[in-house]
Amino acid sequence: MTTNTILLLLLSLVIAGGLSYFQYFYKAKNHSNVNVFLAFLRFLVIFGLLVLLINPVMTKNSLQVTKTPLAIAVDNSSSITALKSDKKVTELYQKLISNPALKDKFEIQSYQFDADFKPSDKFDFKGKQTNLDEVAKNLKSINKNLIFPTVIITDGNQTTGNDYVYRFDPANKVYPLVVGDTTTFFDLKINQLNVNKYAFHKNKFPVEVFLQYAGTKAVNADFTISQGNSVVAREKVSFSPSKKTASLNLLLPADKVGLQIFRANVSSNAKEKNSYNNIKNFAVEVIDQKSTIAIVSTINHPDIGALKRSIETNAQRKVILAKPNEIDKLNDVSVLVLYQPNGAFKPIFDNNKLAGTNSFIITGNNTDFNFLNQKQNNLVFKMSGQREDFLTEFQSQFNLFAIENIGFENFPPLQNLFGSVTTSGNVSVLLSSKIRNVSTNAPLLAFAENQGKRTAFLLGENSWKWRLQSHIDNQSFEKYDVFADKIIQYLATSASKKSLVVEHESFYNSGEAIVINAQYFNKNYEFDEKARLTITVTNAETKQTKNYDLLKGNNSFSANLDGLIAGKYNFTVKELNSNTSYSSHFEILDFDIEKQFVNPDVQKLKQLALQTNGKAFFENQADDLIQALLENKEYKSIEKNISTKTPLIDWIWLLVLIATLLTTEWFVRKYNGML
């Protein structure tokens, strides 16, 4: 307390004593014990009230010691068990966390990681994937703005995520504790196999294979691809200490329609420690028809090339380019893309009245809008000759098909003639337009359906810039190409509307995320958020059945079926309120990526340690690791003096005491007839 506060408290004592004396002793005829007691009560009441008015602040000091965090992350993936190091990992972990010197110097934080990252002090080594990138990302967030060491007990074999070497903060040392046998064993391995998911009937599809060898002698290997009991491809491959990799490119025939399962195998006469990584199953869905998309234009524009590339990323699509007078080319197309139509497109529109082909109309500065008003009645254009830039605004209530916002608001503007655009009839808007961030409430990307014929409208040119911006944002064209494919897929189908639409793959690899997406629409074909969807999954061989609820997301429902073993499955999605159902099947291919390794990735872990100025240790060097952590003078505990100030006015008990004293004084005076 300050000097002023102490002086005020002394003055309060004098005032309280003086007032008590004046009331009960000054000019009093007698000085009984009752008067003394009442004077004492009055003294306490007045002094308490004055103390509340002064409100002295009570200060309490305490010493707090903050230790440096020591993050210990343990690899919980099944590759630890495959390398027969699960017991050793547990032993090393217990040795670190139970060391008295480490506990005295550090605040030990225990974590486990496989595909995910979470706090844990118990490990089952059943993780299906290894993602060391998650360790780097989460530790940066948990111990933000701190200097701390990290110990990672792992084999270093990552199966998913970004390259972890450069993901850790270089200011914080990482000490990998490498587990697993580092002895080089003879091993042949299918390192990677690339194949398209789809192939076309009576065509050949490519298969790209990368083989890897570990050993000290020259060896000849036999690589085969078989389907059932038939070998469909065979190659001889040679390896040596100076040639440890090989790549093969093969063409396989697509003779049968449907899902085709293949088995790739590399083998030799030598015995291997791990033969699981010699085999890899893969599947290709052979389809019997390729849809053709025609882009019709009288001008050359970058939009046409960008759209062609986006559409043809789907192997089921083929794009042809045509002029408006080349009607003969358009007889068997599934979708007509009419780029900036004008009077020259009259034969196309007239012919399409009979053909009824779904169309995608893209406008721009060279579009004849008066002609377009005559040839369709879904949108009404009243345009000027002035050009304008239009930004996008995503309409989340759009429900014709499942689509996510891929960052449309950040895309460059499209250019079109300025004017008013109004909708007429059954038109759904996915993107509306803005001019300099002011909403126009006019469509930019819209879809219409009349008497079974579907039409899409994109009102503006330079959409090639959208594809480029999407690549800049995501380091990939994939999101934009999926968006374009959704439009074409909607237009390519002429099937009547279904109330229950389910999206799924024909096959999945073990360890992959298995997600079934579904949409349910009411009678007005509006997305029904109150739908109750369930899925029943049955193993075709064991007949074991599992039931799941589909959870609502953004304009769709989904179920995660992770945990299913390899095999063939039949499933049924059912909407409980209407009993609408959809049935199909998929297959899970046997492939455990965590069993592909025979050695820890020592080089990569050493590279990580070097990048962060740490050091890599092997499993028999745990004592050296502990010593290095203890001797490092960067990590010191911090002592802080914690000063806590409490105003006396916050003491509720002082108010209670004053009220009690006043009440007691009143009763004593009443009892003694002094009122």
Side-chain angles (χ1 to χ4, degrees):
M1 288 188 289
T2 64
T3 303
N4 288 340
T5 303
I6 295 173
L7 292 174
L8 287 172
L9 289 175
L10 292 175
L11 181 60
S12 299
L13 287 172
V14 174
I15 293 172
L19 290 175
S20 301
Y21 176 80
F22 178 79
Q23 182 168 358
Y24 287 103
F25 293 104
Y26 183 70
K27 294 183 181 181
K29 295 180 180 180
N30 58 24
H31 297 80
S32 65
N33 290 334
V34 173
N35 281 22
V36 174
F37 180 65
L38 289 172
F40 178 69
L41 291 178
R42 180 56 58 91
F43 169 79
L44 292 177
V45 169
I46 295 171
F47 181 71
L49 290 173
L50 290 173
V51 168
L52 287 177
L53 290 173
I54 297 170
N55 189 26
V57 176
M58 309 296 291
T59 303
K60 181 182 179 182
N61 293 319
S62 60
L63 195 65
Q64 185 180 56
V65 178
T66 303
K67 298 179 181 179
T68 300
L70 170 60
I72 301 177
V74 177
D75 191 339
N76 192 54
S77 65
S78 59
S79 67
I80 298 295
T81 304
L83 294 177
K84 298 179 180 179
S85 299
D86 46 338
K87 292 182 180 178
K88 189 64 179 179
V89 168
T90 303
E91 177 187 323
L92 291 171
Y93 169 74
Q94 291 297 334
K95 187 171 187 176
L96 290 172
I97 65 167
S98 61
N99 185 278
L102 285 180
K103 289 196 290 184
D104 184 60
K105 182 175 181 178
F106 296 100
E107 177 197 347
I108 297 178
Q109 302 172 345
S110 297
Y111 304 99
Q112 72 170 38
F113 66 93
D114 35 55
D116 300 313
F117 176 88
K118 62 183 179 181
S120 179
D121 57 3
K122 294 182 180 178
F123 318 101
D124 58 13
F125 307 105
K126 293 182 179 179
K128 298 298 183 183
Q129 297 271 14
T130 303
N131 191 349
L132 276 156
D133 179 36
E134 281 293 307
V135 181
K137 182 172 65 176
N138 282 277
L139 287 181
K140 282 181 186 177
S141 176
I142 294 170
N143 296 318
K144 193 174 182 180
N145 299 325
L146 294 177
I147 300 298
F148 66 97
T150 300
V151 175
I152 305 177
I153 308 176
T154 181
D155 56 20
N157 292 311
Q158 178 167 275
T159 59
T160 185
N162 297 314
D163 187 346
Y164 61 83
V165 170
Y166 300 100
R167 299 287 288 178
F168 285 83
D169 188 347
N172 292 318
K173 291 181 172 62
V174 178
Y175 298 92
L177 189 51
V178 186
V179 294
D181 194 342
T182 58
T183 305
T184 300
F185 296 97
F186 173 81
D187 184 52
L188 289 171
K189 174 183 178 182
I190 300 177
N191 198 40
Q192 189 173 343
L193 190 149
N194 299 324
V195 64
N196 292 329
K197 286 189 174 184
Y198 302 99
F200 302 104
H201 190 219
K202 295 182 180 180
N203 285 349
K204 290 188 176 183
F205 60 92
V207 179
E208 185 179 32
V209 186
F210 295 93
L211 305 176
Q212 186 173 316
Y213 164 71
T216 57
K217 298 179 180 179
V219 64
N220 293 320
D222 192 26
F223 177 80
T224 60
I225 296 179
S226 57
Q227 185 178 25
N229 296 323
S230 302
V231 176
V232 295
R234 185 186 298 274
E235 289 276 350
K236 294 287 185 182
V237 190
S238 298
F239 296 99
S240 68
S242 59
K243 184 192 175 187
K244 293 184 176 292
T245 61
S247 61
L248 304 175
N249 291 282
L250 306 100
L251 288 174
L252 302 185
D255 296 332
K256 301 176 184 177
V257 175
L259 185 66
Q260 307 300 317
I261 309 297
F262 298 90
R263 181 185 181 93
N265 181 40
V266 60
S267 60
S268 69
N269 294 327
K271 186 178 180 181
E272 298 184 48
K273 180 182 179 181
N274 180 10
S275 59
Y276 187 88
N277 59 12
N278 291 32
I279 299 170
K280 190 167 186 178
N281 295 318
F282 65 97
V284 174
E285 187 170 3
V286 179
I287 53 180
D288 60 358
Q289 187 175 358
K290 185 175 183 177
S291 58
T292 302
I293 316 299
I295 300 179
V296 184
S297 177
T298 59
I299 62 174
N300 295 323
H301 198 281
D303 284 353
I304 297 173
L307 187 60
K308 184 177 187 294
R309 284 180 179 272
S310 288
I311 295 172
E312 289 186 338
T313 54
N314 186 334
Q316 298 183 75
R317 319 281 189 218
K318 177 186 177 183
V319 175
I320 62 172
L321 304 179
K323 300 291 184 182
N325 58 358
E326 297 175 322
I327 297 179
D328 294 341
K329 286 186 177 182
L330 312 179
N331 292 333
D332 298 319
V333 301
S334 302
V335 178
L336 282 172
V337 180
L338 307 179
Y339 189 78
Q340 304 214 32
N342 52 34
F345 282 70
K346 185 177 184 300
I348 299 290
F349 280 93
D350 292 343
N351 184 71
N352 202 32
K353 277 187 178 180
L354 299 175
T357 305
N358 294 337
S359 56
F360 184 14
I361 298 174
I362 302 175
T363 69
N365 298 324
N366 295 295
T367 303
D368 186 341
F369 287 98
N370 291 326
F371 170 77
L372 203 53
N373 281 331
Q374 297 171 10
K375 294 302 179 181
Q376 57 81 40
N377 53 15
N378 297 301
L379 299 181
V380 179
F381 300 96
K382 295 180 180 179
M383 315 302 280
S384 68
Q386 178 185 347
R387 298 181 180 183
E388 185 59 79
D389 290 336
F390 294 91
L391 297 169
T392 61
E393 190 170 13
F394 180 72
Q395 301 298 317
S396 58
Q397 71 274 14
F398 179 82
N399 56 24
L400 291 184
F401 49 85
I403 189 75
E404 65 170 318
N405 187 347
I406 60 172
F408 294 107
E409 288 81 0
N410 299 322
F411 284 177
L414 298 184
Q415 195 171 79
N416 204 27
L417 296 183
F418 179 77
S420 66
V421 181
T422 55
T423 60
S424 175
N426 185 21
V427 177
S428 298
V429 177
L430 173 59
L431 300 175
S432 58
S433 64
K434 296 190 297 183
I435 299 177
R436 289 179 287 277
N437 288 324
V438 177
S439 297
T440 65
N441 296 320
L444 190 70
L445 177 59
F447 299 84
E449 182 167 358
N450 289 316
Q451 299 179 347
K453 181 182 177 182
R454 294 175 174 178
T455 308
F457 296 86
L458 179 61
L459 307 184
E461 61 180 69
N462 295 331
S463 60
W464 66 271
K465 296 181 181 180
W466 285 11
R467 189 169 188 257
L468 186 61
Q469 184 65 47
S470 179
H471 186 278
I472 292 172
D473 294 340
N474 304 290
Q475 289 76 53
S476 170
F477 292 115
E478 182 179 358
K479 285 192 174 183
Y480 182 84
D481 291 345
V482 169
F483 157 67
D485 186 64
K486 292 265 189 179
I487 297 174
I488 298 301
Q489 183 178 355
Y490 171 79
L491 296 173
T493 176
S494 58
S496 60
K497 293 178 178 177
K498 298 178 182 179
S499 58
L500 181 60
V501 179
V502 181
E503 293 183 0
H504 64 95
E505 299 288 348
S506 299
F507 62 91
Y508 303 88
N509 286 318
S510 294
E512 285 183 350
I514 304 173
V515 179
I516 306 293
N517 292 309
Q519 291 179 296
Y520 181 75
F521 300 96
N522 59 25
K523 292 182 179 180
N524 292 330
Y525 207 64
E526 297 170 334
F527 178 70
D528 189 351
E529 294 185 351
K530 298 181 180 179
R532 297 165 56 209
L533 297 177
T534 64
I535 181 171
T536 302
V537 182
T538 304
N539 187 303
E541 183 177 349
T542 65
K543 305 303 180 184
Q544 183 180 4
T545 298
K546 292 186 177 182
N547 296 305
Y548 304 85
D549 290 325
L550 277 78
L551 304 179
K552 190 179 83 67
N554 185 20
N555 286 337
S556 68
F557 295 83
S558 63
N560 191 320
L561 308 183
D562 290 355
L564 297 177
I565 62 174
K568 295 181 179 180
Y569 291 87
N570 300 314
F571 72 92
T572 299
V573 177
K574 187 174 184 181
E575 203 286 312
L576 299 180
N577 295 325
S578 63
N579 285 328
T580 306
S581 63
Y582 169 90
S583 297
S584 188
H585 58 87
F586 61 85
E587 184 164 350
I588 301 176
L589 305 181
D590 183 18
F591 177 69
D592 188 347
I593 195 170
E594 291 290 331
K595 291 183 179 179
Q596 302 300 303
F597 312 103
V598 292
N599 296 113
D601 196 338
V602 177
Q603 290 304 116
K604 201 147 212 184
L605 291 174
K606 284 185 175 180
Q607 191 179 356
L608 169 62
L610 182 64
Q611 176 70 17
T612 59
N613 293 315
K615 185 179 178 182
F617 295 88
F618 294 97
E619 58 186 37
N620 60 348
Q621 297 176 312
D623 292 330
D624 296 336
L625 169 60
I626 293 172
Q627 195 64 27
L629 290 169
L630 294 175
E631 291 178 353
N632 195 314
K633 296 181 180 180
E634 289 183 55
Y635 309 121
K636 296 179 180 179
S637 299
I638 300 173
E639 291 186 352
K640 292 182 180 179
N641 182 37
I642 307 299
S643 180
T644 306
K645 295 183 178 181
T646 307
L648 196 60
I649 199 170
D650 291 341
W651 289 10
I652 189 66
W653 290 109
L654 185 56
L655 291 172
V656 173
L657 178 61
I658 291 172
T660 303
L661 292 171
L662 285 171
T663 304
T664 304
E665 182 186 0
W666 185 87
F667 275 111
V668 171
R669 288 169 62 87
K670 181 75 173 176
Y671 181 79
N672 289 279
M674 299 175 69
L675 291 178

